[in-house]
Amino acid sequence: MGVTAFLHNLHCDSPQESKDEVVITGPGGQVWPSAGIFSISAGQDVPMNVQVPVNGSVTLRLIEKDPPDGSAGDDLGSVKINASEAGSGTKKKAFLTSETSYTLSYRVV
């Protein structure tokens, strides 16, 4: 039986540019935001309120897209969420590259 990851918050520690235009993707495509892209800058916290099914595990990727064409953009790192984390409260994992740092807060139930 699968569990669900509730994505609570994305914190931008260190963006690639002064303001990054980002999306989070999973196995089925774009997970957040539900459409378009989200602009975020250093020190900003963004409430997400997104649910993602976790069947064993799920890998999420943070992608920086370049408007206006929304081209493929740059991979800003990935996090792996495991079903075994269910019931362990709120967790934090980092999307990291040599130039950027973002922190995802979530819980698995």
Side-chain angles (χ1 to χ4, degrees):
M1 180 171 140
V3 297
T4 301
F6 290 88
L7 310 183
H8 297 294
N9 185 77
L10 181 66
H11 177 79
C12 177
D13 301 296
S14 177
Q16 182 179 35
E17 300 170 0
S18 62
K19 186 172 273 197
D20 286 345
E21 290 76 27
V22 299
V23 300
I24 293 178
T25 63
Q30 186 167 323
V31 171
W32 177 88
S34 58
I37 56 177
F38 193 90
S39 294
I40 187 170
S41 41
Q44 187 174 356
D45 281 295
V46 180
M48 299 174 70
N49 300 316
V50 172
Q51 298 179 28
V52 177
V54 180
N55 297 308
S57 68
V58 65
T59 299
L60 303 176
R61 302 194 87 65
L62 182 67
I63 308 292
E64 198 273 332
K65 299 232 176 196
D66 295 315
D69 64 359
S71 63
D74 300 318
D75 187 340
L76 301 183
S78 64
V79 297
K80 184 176 182 180
I81 299 174
N82 297 300
S84 62
E85 297 175 53
S88 60
T90 300
K91 300 277 203 174
K92 292 184 178 185
K93 288 192 177 173
F95 293 103
L96 295 172
T97 69
S98 60
E99 299 173 349
T100 63
S101 174
Y102 285 81
T103 304
L104 175 69
S105 298
Y106 67 96
R107 69 185 164 85
V108 179
V109 294

